[in-house]
Amino acid sequence: MSLSLLNPCVALRDRLDGVGTWLAPVGLRLILAWEFFESGREKLHGENWFGEIMAQFPFPFDRVPATLSWSLATWFELLGAIALLLGLATRFAAASLFVLTVVATAAVHWPQDWMGLAQLAQGYAISDSGGGNYKLPLIFLVMLWPLILGGPGRLSLDAWLARRTALPATAAQADLFGWGLVLAPFGLLVAMLLPAPGLALAGLGILALVGGARRLRGHSRRS
């Protein structure tokens, strides 16, 4: 492809990238804010049914009293939804809702006693049949993931506060320590649904953390 044909494509890419830093995460924030606010509002005005399913909650959430667990879920959904809408403390809100969704999936939506991937795949559905319909919460998890890693975008209170407080510009680092910070907790959450792959991811994350910490210490000594 000649340079004359490539230049307009590059110019279009650059403009989409520029506008994307403002708008790309907004759709995710809006739809997730609506969904979680609706769920929290239903809990706020509904009856606590967590007591009926506490035994299905993954450890350590099965040790939390049902009344406290219900209140925490309600307010994390309501306040987390508002935080996503405003783009305020977005990564914390998205991570909190991510954990809440994994726990809800394990307790309510995940197939019980599934045998093999074919049977597990049958649960990728949206229905009112209780356990074994994890499609919707999985979609929410996938939508929360880029907000955790990438933040809310420039059209947010987080970005406004960063500009007002003159925080240093982001210096992205995909080093071993960074990979470990992501993989270790993510693996532990995955282990609530898929123990073997989740623990493997968590172990890989811990190894990355250890290796990254050693490298950082080595760099600091040399400097």
Side-chain angles (χ1 to χ4, degrees), residues 46-119:
E47 295 184 5
N48 184 350
W49 43 266
F50 276 10
E52 303 171 8
I53 62 168
M54 284 304 296
Q56 298 170 224
F57 277 43
F59 180 83
F61 300 95
D62 58 344
R63 300 293 187 264
V64 180
T67 302
L68 177 59
S69 184
W70 180 267
S71 297
L72 288 174
T74 299
W75 289 105
F76 265 104
E77 287 181 336
L78 291 173
L79 297 179
I82 294 171
L84 291 184
L85 178 65
L86 300 176
L88 179 64
T90 307
R91 282 189 165 98
F92 174 78
S96 300
L97 293 172
F98 193 96
V99 174
L100 188 151
T101 304
V102 170
V103 174
T105 303
V108 180
H109 303 284
W110 200 244
Q112 300 296 318
D113 302 321
W114 54 276
M115 300 294 292
L117 294 178
Q119 187 176 355

Side-chain angles (χ1 to χ4, degrees), residues 173-183 205 208-214 216:
Q173 298 183 54
D175 57 6
L176 269 179
F177 198 78
W179 278 99
L181 286 174
V182 173
L183 289 179
L209 282 172
V210 173
R214 288 176 177 173
L216 290 173

Side-chain angles (χ1 to χ4, degrees), residues 61 95 98-100 102-103 184-194 198 202:
F61 300 95
F98 193 96
V99 174
L100 188 151
V102 170
V103 174
F186 178 69
L188 292 176
L189 288 172
V190 171
M192 295 181 184
L193 304 173
L194 300 168

Side-chain angles (χ1 to χ4, degrees), residues 120-199:
L120 179 62
Q122 293 176 2
Y124 186 70
I126 299 176
S127 70
D128 297 326
S129 62
N133 55 96
Y134 58 85
K135 183 175 184 176
L136 188 58
L138 179 59
I139 290 173
F140 288 165
L141 291 174
V142 173
M143 294 168 69
L144 286 165
W145 190 243
L147 296 178
I148 297 172
L149 295 181
R154 297 185 67 183
L155 193 62
S156 64
L157 284 180
D158 283 340
W160 180 80
L161 288 171
R163 292 193 295 269
R164 293 287 294 180
T165 55
L167 286 176
T170 301
Q173 298 183 54
D175 57 6
L176 269 179
F177 198 78
W179 278 99
L181 286 174
V182 173
L183 289 179
F186 178 69
L188 292 176
L189 288 172
V190 171
M192 295 181 184
L193 304 173
L194 300 168
L199 291 175

